[in-house]
Amino acid sequence: MKSWLFPTIQTAVVVILLISYYAASWFGEQYVLRAEPFDPFDPFYGEYVMLQYPDLQTSSITDNGPVYFTLKEADDGYAVIDRIEGKSFFGAIEGSIYDGRVTAPQLEQFYVEQGLGPELELARDLQVTIDVSSWGTIRPVDLQERSE
């Protein structure tokens, strides 16, 4: 086998993953979520803010476990759950339910510049801007203090 084939395939896979991540911003929709911080520092990864989302709650599915959901913009401009199911569907964000709250792995942590973590932890009212592609990829793009 050619010695260049394997490295070319590896490079192509990495490029496809990167393109699919950034394609959420290019082709997807943007939502703003209300967020609440907790636990701002990890000694190995640096400063980040763990987030939970008070508007992402459900009463239709009560079992803790995996769920699939989509978002829509509410009247106040913040995103809320549009559709939630226990089975995957096209365009769904894969997440989980714990104690009635819905979350997704890409939404739980937001890495910030060194020194901003404690400041964001004190600001209890935050908002996160995310890009969501039509195939369900999430890309958090901005975290800032909410002004209401």
Side-chain angles (χ1 to χ4, degrees):
M1 182 164 287
K2 302 282 185 188
S3 61
W4 55 268
L5 184 60
F6 190 65
T8 303
I9 292 171
Q10 285 179 319
T11 303
V13 168
V14 170
V15 168
I16 289 169
L17 289 173
L18 285 172
I19 287 173
S20 72
Y21 178 73
Y22 287 103
S25 295
W26 301 331
F27 304 111
E29 295 188 37
Q30 194 168 76
Y31 296 99
V32 178
L33 297 166
R34 254 186 282 264
E36 298 171 345
F38 64 100
D39 190 28
F41 185 76
D42 181 294
F44 298 106
Y45 293 111
E47 286 195 20
Y48 68 92
V49 178
M50 292 289 293
L51 299 169
Q52 56 189 9
Y53 301 92
D55 295 333
L56 299 184
Q57 296 186 7
T58 182
S59 58
S60 62
I61 299 177
T62 57
D63 297 335
N64 292 345
V67 291
Y68 301 88
F69 64 98
T70 57
L71 299 171
K72 68 177 180 180
E73 189 173 315
D75 295 335
D76 62 1
Y78 292 101
V80 295
I81 293 175
D82 181 31
R83 176 180 169 193
I84 187 166
E85 295 184 13
K87 294 183 180 180
S88 180
F89 57 93
F90 183 74
I93 301 166
E94 185 177 357
S96 60
I97 293 181
Y98 182 74
D99 198 28
R101 289 184 183 249
V102 178
T103 189
Q106 303 93 330
L107 295 176
E108 291 176 344
Q109 298 176 355
F110 195 97
Y111 287 90
V112 296
E113 287 183 36
Q114 197 70 20
L116 282 181
E119 177 184 326
L120 289 171
E121 181 186 45
L122 294 175
R124 298 300 301 170
D125 297 323
L126 300 174
Q127 68 182 29
V128 176
T129 304
I130 61 170
D131 292 332
V132 180
S133 71
S134 58
W135 53 90
T137 301
I138 300 173
R139 180 176 180 239
V141 292
D142 187 40
L143 173 66
Q144 59 188 356
E145 202 167 346
R146 186 171 70 222
S147 59
E148 292 189 72

